[in-house]
Amino acid sequence: MPAMEHVKRAVAAERPRDREATMRLLIEAVGRVLARQGFQAVKVNVVAREAGVDKVLIYRYFGGLPGLVTAFANSGDFWPDARELAGGDIEAFLALPYPERLVIGVHNYLRALRGRPLTQEILAWRFMVHNELTDAIDSVRESVGKRLLDLLQPDEAAASGLDMQALFAILGGIINHLGVRARSETHFAGLPLDDAQTWARLEAMLAHIIRSALPHPG
């Protein structure tokens, strides 16, 4: 492509009315490429071609691929936010006894992951690869996770000497594994993963584990 034409395309895309739309195109494109090809295959040229825009805009708008991946991971399309995990009403959620808050948060996290096939695919790739792009995903996951832990932070009486960090790790590990596994397998431990009743049973068992581990209020 002639240099002048290259510049014209970049400048045109910078117009305020186009910038937001172009950024959205790139964010959606990198998500599709990550899910389809994995972290190792994601390149500037590949993402730009997927989005149908000039690759210079990835650097201009996001500073490079890691910045673009971070923007994607920060989008509500990738990871649930605190309001979604609280069921839509954070104030009402915080008024509940702690064990019930944790049950609701865990159930909503599982449902959020199951409802995001793209996230499932990207997490599956993430478990196999470590590079600067996975670092960008992990940074956002940790930031979101901290906000969620703040939302689910128990008071002293609720924790009752229990190792809450370990409990969160176990619950998160269970959900991440099942959510990712269900994307490509029909059964796990004899349970049909394409059956809504299976997920109802799993949610009931998660609630039982939480209520058994934590003291009842009062």
Side-chain angles (χ1 to χ4, degrees):
M1 176 188 298
M4 183 58 67
E5 181 62 26
H6 180 86
V7 172
K8 284 180 180 178
R9 287 182 60 183
V11 171
E14 281 191 285
R15 289 178 297 188
R17 62 191 176 88
D18 293 337
R19 180 184 176 105
E20 186 176 343
T22 302
M23 291 177 71
R24 170 51 57 182
L25 281 175
L26 285 165
I27 288 170
E28 292 173 350
V30 78
R32 291 194 301 271
V33 173
L34 281 170
R36 187 171 66 238
Q37 298 175 247
F39 289 89
Q40 290 178 315
V42 175
K43 307 295 181 186
V44 167
N45 288 337
V46 174
V47 175
R49 186 164 55 249
E50 179 80 16
V53 302
D54 196 301
K55 67 181 181 180
V56 72
L57 298 177
I58 294 176
Y59 298 99
R60 189 178 301 277
Y61 294 158
F62 300 99
L65 272 180
L68 177 55
V69 170
T70 298
F72 167 73
N74 271 314
S75 73
D77 295 337
F78 177 71
W79 209 248
D81 61 14
R83 185 169 297 279
E84 184 175 354
L85 292 188
D89 188 335
I90 292 180
E91 187 175 344
F93 177 82
L94 292 174
L96 294 171
Y98 181 71
E100 297 313 305
R101 271 190 280 146
L102 188 53
V103 167
I104 291 171
V106 163
H107 285 179
N108 286 337
Y109 176 56
L110 176 58
R111 294 168 189 173
L113 184 55
R114 289 186 61 217
R116 286 172 165 83
L118 190 62
T119 300
Q120 295 169 23
E121 293 294 332
I122 291 171
L123 287 180
W125 284 109
R126 169 61 192 92
F127 295 153
M128 297 185 292
V129 177
H130 182 208
N131 59 27
E132 64 176 351
L133 300 184
T134 66
D135 287 344
I137 288 280
D138 289 345
S139 176
V140 175
R141 286 176 61 195
E142 289 171 8
S143 176
V144 171
K146 184 180 183 306
R147 292 198 297 270
L148 299 180
L149 288 180
D150 289 343
L151 187 67
L152 293 171
Q153 192 64 37
D155 55 37
E156 223 174 282
S160 188
L162 191 66
D163 188 341
M164 295 302 297
Q165 187 175 22
L167 179 60
F168 288 145
I170 289 169
L171 294 173
I174 290 170
I175 293 172
N176 286 341
H177 180 78
L178 288 172
V180 170
R181 189 151 186 156
R183 89 195 198 286
S184 59
E185 298 187 22
T186 58
H187 287 75
F188 180 71
L191 294 172
L193 297 178
D194 57 354
D195 187 342
Q197 290 187 354
T198 292
W199 295 99
R201 290 174 62 187
L202 291 171
E203 287 188 6
M205 181 51 67
L206 286 168
H208 176 72
I209 292 170
I210 292 168
R211 290 171 179 143
S212 298
L214 295 168
H216 292 283

